[in-house]
Amino acid sequence: MENFIVSARKYRPATFKSVVGQASITTTLKNAIQRKQLAQAYLFCGPRGVGKTTCARIFAKTINCQNLSPELEACNECESCKSFNTNRSYNIHELDAASNNSVEDIRKLIEQVRIPPQIGKYSVYIIDEVHMLSQSAFNAFLKTLEEPPAHAIFIMATTEKHKILPTILSRCQIFDFNRIRVEDTVNYLEYIAKKEGVEYEVEALNIIAQKADGAMRDALSIFDQVVSFSENHITYQKVIENLNVLDYQYYFRLTDNFLKGDYADSLQIFDELLSKGFDAQQFITGLSMHLRNVLVCHDPKTIPLLEVGAAIAQKYKEMAATCPPGFLIEALQVTNQFDVAFRQSPNQRLHVELMLIKLCGLNQKKKSDDSQVEDSDPVEYSQPISSTVKPTSTPKAIPTTPKTPIRTTSIKGALNGAPNNAEIKNNDEPKVEEIQTENQGIASVEIKKISHEQILQAWTSFAEQIQKDKPAHFSLMQVYKPILKENNKITIQFEGQIQIELFSEIKKDLLTYIKKSFGILNIEIAEEIVEKIEDNGKPRLYTPDDKFRFMAERNPALIRLKQQLNLDLD
């Protein structure tokens, strides 16, 4: 039986050209080789499985190649390339810093650096997972890293650059590797599938690329797993079944339910997903991504941000045509809030169900708001014909019954078009208040006056009602009394801002109570700050500031004491 080699090793890139998704880095390295401007130390950092160690090996092989091609690729024919390909090269040394992270290991490396290469021009030292070195090992490595022999080049790879000492970073050329795009991963998987004779669906490879999350090594491992499961015929259904990935169709069904307000079916879908073993938080994350994909399909400029296959992309475009952008933005805000609070929820299933119910109500609430806006649009009254109006140009009799006015919220428009002596009456309504508009010359309405005794009586009655629930406000109303001024304006004189802030908590309710008590709308309440004096001639002192100022006026030494001791009046 022939030994099986996993795709991650079998199809590992051997040239700069075959490296996927890191064109800027490979171009920089090739230009450095062409111009013979090689640094003594390089740091390759980035996520896992994106080609850091692969690029380090290709770079080490290329700089020692004796017959470079015009494209600056290794020839694979010289002795240096052959020894590298058969893993017997003495010019390239790989060190795993995860298991060789002590000072003694670095000292051995420093002793080895002194030995010149036997074949080729450079000795290349590739240190993988360099962030695992101890601080003492980093310090021991500093001098050699800054001033190595002319034949020595260090290439360090790490997934956690923030753990490396700044003194190490300053001695290296740093290359940040990017996550590999879904499109690039799918293209490479298609290439491998054709080489291996595997039948596939593009949608299936797209799911593998998304599951890999930008790591080519993970994508190739998943590819091997799915090939074994599907017997050399990779389909979308087999991939989502093997990888336990939620089908797009569930999200499309849920979106339809959100638009219709069908929370019952949404809860049933969620229950079905839980019975199949899907994680609830994974469901929220997938739903957020689905709503985001629908949103980006609203604008042709953002459609390239959609990282799905062609068939599913078409479904997203069709769904976008039925979903208003405002609804999608609100839905994304809801899913994000519930995702953040998911882990703190004591009942996580109920937490997700509440999210689904809220999403089903978003569009219904918007429809209700729109209908209210339409109902509130002003409608013109039909001109009433009064029996008191005399005909001017015709002797024909004029009907004495006025036309029924159309209901409207715009009384102002009706008053502007009506004569001064015309009245609008509705026998079905109890009473319609007259509205006075001085600037438009409408007949003035006499202001109903109230007495000071009536205000005091209403003031006392309201204070008795809040005595039990708001004792502090009751005490405030016992100390301070209202003063009635012109045009039904009530003034309360307080001694400081603290009393005004306390009174503002009940001002609205008090004003409403007074208006209802007298059936008058034109009543105002205003507050004033007036310094009051007690019967003994001394001012009232409420706050610590008031007390300190009063004492300091009689004993200025208190001010110096406060400053020297840095005292706080609170």
Side-chain angles (χ1 to χ4, degrees), residues 295-308:
L295 182 62
V296 299
C297 287
H298 269 279
D299 195 323
K301 296 179 181 178
T302 56
I303 288 180
L305 301 178
L306 199 64
E307 296 181 341
V308 296

Side-chain angles (χ1 to χ4, degrees), residues 55-346:
C55 285
R57 291 178 177 177
I58 296 173
F59 183 65
K61 175 184 175 182
T62 305
I63 61 178
N64 279 317
C65 179
Q66 300 171 0
N67 300 306
L68 287 178
S69 67
E71 294 80 13
L72 299 176
E73 299 284 3
C75 65
N76 290 322
E77 296 178 358
C78 65
E79 180 60 30
S80 177
C81 292
K82 289 180 179 179
S83 61
F84 176 84
N85 293 336
T86 55
N87 295 324
R88 55 182 177 85
S89 174
Y90 290 98
N91 293 355
I92 300 174
H93 312 273
E94 292 194 34
L95 176 68
D96 179 21
S99 56
N100 300 278
N101 53 10
S102 65
V103 177
E104 291 299 325
D105 296 320
I106 295 299
R107 285 177 179 171
K108 293 178 182 178
L109 177 63
I110 294 173
E111 292 295 329
Q112 189 177 4
V113 167
R114 298 177 182 177
I115 304 173
Q118 296 179 354
I119 301 176
K121 189 176 180 180
Y122 299 100
S123 290
V124 183
Y125 297 86
I126 302 174
I127 306 176
D128 207 1
E129 302 298 334
V130 69
H131 64 274
M132 299 294 289
L133 290 177
S134 63
Q135 186 169 1
S136 300
F138 271 128
N139 292 331
F141 190 38
L142 280 175
K143 187 63 177 177
T144 304
L145 188 64
E146 183 175 13
E147 297 179 359
H151 61 266
I153 293 179
F154 296 97
I155 304 177
M156 295 171 286
T158 179
T159 56
E160 302 183 40
K161 183 175 66 173
H162 61 278
K163 291 185 177 181
I164 300 177
L165 297 180
T167 50
I168 295 291
L169 296 176
S170 64
R171 290 164 167 80
C172 302
Q173 284 190 11
I174 302 175
F175 291 84
D176 290 305
F177 283 68
N178 303 318
R179 291 184 181 274
I180 301 175
R181 298 186 307 164
V182 172
E183 181 181 357
D184 294 334
T185 304
V186 171
N187 292 337
Y188 197 63
L189 291 177
E190 287 187 79
Y191 164 76
I192 295 176
K194 292 176 181 177
K195 294 279 289 186
E196 295 292 325
V198 177
E199 298 180 4
Y200 62 90
E201 293 179 0
V202 177
E203 304 298 337
L205 299 183
N206 199 281
I207 294 295
I208 295 175
Q210 292 183 29
K211 188 75 173 178
D213 194 24
M216 182 61 74
R217 183 172 59 238
D218 292 0
L220 295 176
S221 299
I222 297 173
F223 176 81
D224 289 342
Q225 174 184 335
V226 173
V227 168
S228 299
F229 175 77
S230 60
E231 298 179 354
N232 285 4
H233 184 67
I234 303 177
T235 63
Y236 174 79
Q237 290 297 330
K238 291 181 179 179
V239 168
I240 63 174
E241 180 182 353
N242 183 253
L243 300 182
N244 198 31
V245 176
L246 198 55
D247 191 358
Y248 286 109
Q249 297 302 324
Y250 286 106
Y251 294 130
F252 285 112
R253 287 173 54 193
L254 285 170
T255 308
D256 288 333
N257 290 338
F258 297 158
L259 296 174
K260 296 183 296 185
D262 190 354
Y263 68 89
D265 189 51
S266 300
L267 297 181
Q268 291 178 351
I269 292 175
F270 179 59
D271 179 71
E272 179 183 350
L273 298 179
L274 291 180
S275 64
K276 291 184 177 181
F278 288 102
D279 180 67
Q281 189 165 24
Q282 179 187 358
F283 165 74
I284 299 178
T285 304
L287 181 59
S288 300
M289 182 58 64
H290 169 78
L291 295 171
R292 174 258 184 196
N293 290 341
V294 178
L295 182 62
V296 299
C297 287
H298 269 279
D299 195 323
K301 296 179 181 178
T302 56
I303 288 180
L305 301 178
L306 199 64
E307 296 181 341
V308 296
I312 297 179
Q314 183 61 32
K315 292 183 180 179
Y316 273 119
K317 293 176 183 178
E318 295 173 359
M319 176 63 70
T322 61
C323 293
F327 162 75
L328 294 172
I329 293 173
E330 291 184 18
L332 280 170
Q333 292 174 345
V334 171
T335 55
N336 182 61
Q337 292 172 358
F338 277 82
D339 190 15
V340 172
F342 178 81
R343 294 191 179 277
Q344 286 73 33
S345 175

Side-chain angles (χ1 to χ4, degrees), residues 251-454:
Y251 294 130
F252 285 112
R253 287 173 54 193
L254 285 170
T255 308
D256 288 333
N257 290 338
F258 297 158
L259 296 174
K260 296 183 296 185
D262 190 354
Y263 68 89
D265 189 51
S266 300
L267 297 181
Q268 291 178 351
I269 292 175
F270 179 59
D271 179 71
E272 179 183 350
L273 298 179
L274 291 180
S275 64
K276 291 184 177 181
F278 288 102
D279 180 67
Q281 189 165 24
Q282 179 187 358
F283 165 74
I284 299 178
T285 304
L287 181 59
S288 300
M289 182 58 64
H290 169 78
L291 295 171
R292 174 258 184 196
N293 290 341
V294 178
L295 182 62
V296 299
C297 287
H298 269 279
D299 195 323
K301 296 179 181 178
T302 56
I303 288 180
L305 301 178
L306 199 64
E307 296 181 341
V308 296
I312 297 179
Q314 183 61 32
K315 292 183 180 179
Y316 273 119
K317 293 176 183 178
E318 295 173 359
M319 176 63 70
T322 61
C323 293
F327 162 75
L328 294 172
I329 293 173
E330 291 184 18
L332 280 170
Q333 292 174 345
V334 171
T335 55
N336 182 61
Q337 292 172 358
F338 277 82
D339 190 15
V340 172
F342 178 81
R343 294 191 179 277
Q344 286 73 33
S345 175
N347 190 339
Q348 294 180 342
R349 172 166 182 160
L350 179 61
H351 184 77
V352 180
E353 290 176 340
L354 287 174
M355 179 194 70
L356 295 175
I357 294 173
K358 189 169 185 178
L359 289 172
C360 289
L362 286 180
N363 200 44
Q364 304 306 310
K365 180 181 177 182
K366 186 177 184 304
K367 290 180 179 179
S368 176
D369 293 343
D370 292 344
S371 63
Q372 290 179 6
V373 171
E374 293 175 1
D375 292 342
S376 64
D377 288 342
V379 181
E380 294 294 336
Y381 278 102
S382 61
Q383 179 66 32
I385 302 176
S386 176
S387 60
T388 60
V389 179
K390 297 180 180 181
T392 57
S393 60
T394 176
K396 293 182 179 181
I398 299 176
T400 59
T401 304
K403 296 180 182 180
T404 304
I406 302 174
R407 184 182 178 184
T408 180
T409 58
S410 177
I411 303 178
K412 179 179 177 182
L415 291 176
N416 289 340
N420 291 338
N421 60 347
E423 297 181 356
I424 301 175
K425 295 182 180 181
N426 188 345
N427 296 330
D428 297 334
E429 299 292 337
K431 185 176 181 180
V432 178
E433 295 183 359
E434 296 182 357
I435 296 182
Q436 178 185 8
T437 308
E438 297 178 358
N439 296 334
Q440 298 180 356
I442 298 176
S444 61
V445 180
E446 183 180 357
I447 299 176
K448 182 179 179 181
K449 295 183 179 180
I450 53 178
S451 65
H452 182 68
E453 290 74 14
Q454 290 176 315

